[in-house]
Amino acid sequence: FVEQLARDCAAAGKKPYIVRNGATTGRGALGYTAAVSELMEQCRRQGIEDMTLFAPGGNGGVAAGLVYGNALMGRPFRLVIVSVEDEREVLLEHIASTIRETEAITGLPCPGRVEELCEITDAYRGAGWGANTTESAQAVLDFVRSEGIFVENVYNSKVLVGMRHWVEQGKVSGAVCYLHTGGFGSLFSQY
């Protein structure tokens, strides 16, 4: 329906722009591409080096922007993308596709393949989008109690579970950053 509506508008001389699911487009990913330089500056000011950044992978827009920006900036961060929806290979293709759109906009090729530029895990996704796990439901409560930060049940909380597990298993050393990507409004519909 949306595609047809856009074609009809274009035929009428208008300039429609479709915002894809989760704004997962090359243009949408540019916000997280820019976030990499902002994080670099924050780390520089605070003297933080060798940071591992944990971020969610749903439709792949956030992850694509981070992977692309991190690669363009010389890979200052280790990126771990925690899938909250799809199996690893499906998410990897979503990220790669969105990066190709971003490259077309900027004219700057991504220096490397996605699987070389980040680590993607699907070990914490449970039944996928919209379905919390026992661990992610508990993470919502634990994080607000220990940090005073709200996260919702089925997206950001899975990243927390993955990050904590990686830290506990010694898969991460040095500074660790959890990228909270929102979802605050959905939190209240979940309880």
Side-chain angles (χ1 to χ4, degrees):
F1 175 75
V2 170
E3 300 292 337
Q4 183 59 51
L5 182 60
R7 284 191 295 275
D8 293 346
C9 288
K14 297 179 182 176
K15 296 180 181 180
Y17 181 80
I18 299 172
V19 177
R20 305 272 177 220
N21 188 8
T24 299
T25 64
R27 190 168 313 283
L30 286 171
Y32 283 98
T33 299
V36 173
S37 62
E38 183 180 335
L39 282 169
M40 287 175 63
E41 177 59 22
Q42 290 175 8
C43 287
R44 185 195 63 74
R45 281 193 310 238
Q46 296 180 41
I48 298 171
E49 297 178 0
D50 300 319
M51 187 168 75
T52 300
L53 176 62
F54 284 83
N59 297 321
V62 168
L66 292 171
V67 170
Y68 184 64
N70 199 53
L72 289 177
M73 298 301 286
R75 299 176 69 182
F77 305 115
R78 176 184 178 197
L79 296 180
V80 179
I81 307 300
V82 178
S83 179
V84 299
E85 181 172 1
D86 293 313
E87 293 176 354
R88 181 186 182 282
E89 292 304 314
V90 173
L91 177 56
L92 195 145
E93 180 48 40
H94 289 320
I95 295 168
S97 174
T98 305
I99 288 175
R100 287 191 295 272
E101 289 181 28
T102 307
E103 290 171 322
I105 293 167
T106 65
L108 299 171
C110 186
R113 297 176 332 139
V114 173
E115 54 271 27
E116 301 165 348
L117 300 172
C118 69
E119 297 165 74
I120 300 173
T121 178
D122 60 7
Y124 309 97
R125 70 184 185 91
W129 183 261
N132 64 317
T133 65
T134 302
E135 294 84 6
S136 67
Q138 188 61 48
V140 170
L141 301 174
D142 292 346
F143 204 54
V144 76
R145 289 174 181 152
S146 65
E147 303 300 325
I149 299 172
F150 289 94
V151 295
E152 46 68 52
N153 238 348
V154 294
Y155 193 76
N156 287 291
S157 58
K158 291 179 182 180
V159 179
L160 283 176
V161 171
M163 181 181 72
R164 182 171 47 201
H165 191 241
W166 278 48
V167 169
E168 289 170 350
Q169 288 192 332
K171 292 182 178 182
V172 179
S173 61
V176 176
C177 178
Y178 160 72
L179 184 66
H180 189 313
T181 58
F184 189 69
S186 67
L187 173 71
F188 298 102
S189 68
Q190 294 170 9
Y191 287 96

